[in-house]
Amino acid sequence: MFTESRAQDGLAVVLGVFTALSPLWVDTNTRAMWTLIVLGAVIALAGLAQLTRPAMGAMDYLMALAGVLLFISPWAMDFTAYTGASWTAWIVGVVTVVVAVAALPAMSARMHPRMHQGVPHT
């Protein structure tokens, strides 16, 4: 999948920035706005941390947690009436979790066993 190029980390940065800036173009209330900004920033920062230090596997777990929190946030923070904000949270949350799970060290080892044995992937 993405694991050799770490493209998922770049995608996480884009997803996080998109989410953090989305209150500029979707209707929100105060809770929705701050939820999108904060969780978007966490996702973007986790992606940036992974881009600069790929060995920080904990960032993949943080990214997955932020994705789950983003997905449940419309219900937890009670902003389901704001459809643009809700759909942003649901879609970006799911994509973030998928990207983070694909990058987890255990998943990477299963997907590319030769790379983890010191044999380059051809």
Side-chain angles (χ1 to χ4, degrees):
M1 199 171 229
F2 299 123
T3 49
E4 283 110 13
S5 67
R6 303 301 294 178
Q8 74 274 8
D9 301 324
L11 179 58
V13 172
V14 171
L15 290 170
V17 169
F18 175 83
T19 303
L21 295 177
S22 67
L24 295 174
W25 57 81
V26 298
D27 289 331
T28 64
N29 61 10
T30 303
R31 286 184 292 200
M33 178 185 71
W34 284 110
T35 301
L36 293 171
I37 290 170
V38 169
L39 290 176
V42 168
I43 292 166
L45 290 173
L48 280 173
Q50 281 293 93
L51 280 172
T52 58
R53 294 185 137 190
M56 292 177 60
M59 290 297 114
D60 292 323
Y61 293 101
L62 176 63
M63 194 184 310
L65 177 63
V68 169
L69 291 175
L70 186 61
F71 180 80
I72 65 171
S73 67
W75 297 292
M77 299 304 285
D78 194 29
F79 63 88
T80 56
Y82 296 92
T83 55
S86 295
W87 279 103
T88 298
W90 292 327
I91 292 168
V92 174
V94 166
V95 174
T96 300
V97 169
V98 169
V99 165
V101 167
L104 289 175
M107 180 64 74
S108 177
R110 273 190 238 137
M111 291 173 60
H112 305 286
R114 293 178 60 193
M115 287 298 293
H116 295 278
Q117 295 171 356
V119 178
H121 184 35
T122 57

